[in-house]
Amino acid sequence: CEANNDGGGPSYEPDSKIPSGAASSVPPSPMPVLARPETFEEKLYRKFKAEPLVPIGCLTTAYFLCSGIKSFYNRDPVKSQSMMRLRVGSQFATLMIFIGYAGMNAFTFDFAPGMAVPSEQGYAGKSGGEDEE
């Protein structure tokens, strides 16, 4: 490669194997737009809006935990034991809700990606045994 006259670096000479009309027929791709990074507050708001039951479950679990620790500190073993059992139950419920959201987001109704749905092919409402006339 040779240097350009402006001194900016090597010049690009098109390969002789590529026809001159083929390279000019492809439009140049636009520059990608870089998105700014999401802040913690924006991500927190987005997650709370998308999955509102998970933070409610976390707050419920924290309430039962704090109440159980307070009961233990006040030497009330019956209330402390019931609060810890409720904490375990709320943790289980929160975990099941979280798994439910993850499964709901992962599940799609596509039978086979890339294939047309029968209703899109013009078969909607027709039974298989009838002949077209």
Side-chain angles (χ1 to χ4, degrees):
C1 291
E2 301 173 357
N4 284 341
N5 292 339
D6 60 357
S11 66
Y12 174 74
E13 305 238 352
D15 196 2
S16 60
K17 297 178 186 176
I18 300 173
S20 61
S24 63
S25 65
V26 177
S29 61
M31 290 294 293
V33 178
L34 300 176
R36 65 177 182 79
E38 187 176 36
T39 64
F40 176 75
E41 291 84 12
E42 291 170 341
K43 185 174 184 177
L44 194 66
Y45 179 75
R46 181 177 53 85
K47 292 287 187 177
F48 278 5
K49 190 174 178 183
E51 301 171 354
L53 295 177
V54 172
I56 292 171
C58 290
L59 290 174
T60 305
T61 302
Y63 169 75
F64 287 137
L65 177 64
C66 292
S67 180
I69 290 173
K70 183 180 175 188
S71 300
F72 182 76
Y73 181 73
N74 291 334
R75 297 187 188 264
D76 186 1
V78 174
K79 185 176 180 184
S80 176
Q81 183 69 22
S82 66
M83 287 295 125
M84 289 301 154
R85 287 180 179 171
L86 288 171
R87 176 193 60 87
V88 170
S90 66
Q91 275 183 309
F92 178 74
T94 303
L95 186 62
M96 290 297 112
I97 289 169
F98 184 76
I99 290 171
Y101 277 129
M104 186 174 66
N105 291 337
F107 184 73
T108 62
F109 291 103
D110 293 339
F111 294 111
M115 291 186 63
V117 179
S119 62
E120 293 175 355
Q121 294 177 349
Y123 298 118
K126 296 180 182 178
S127 64
E130 295 178 7
D131 291 332
E132 294 183 14
E133 295 180 30

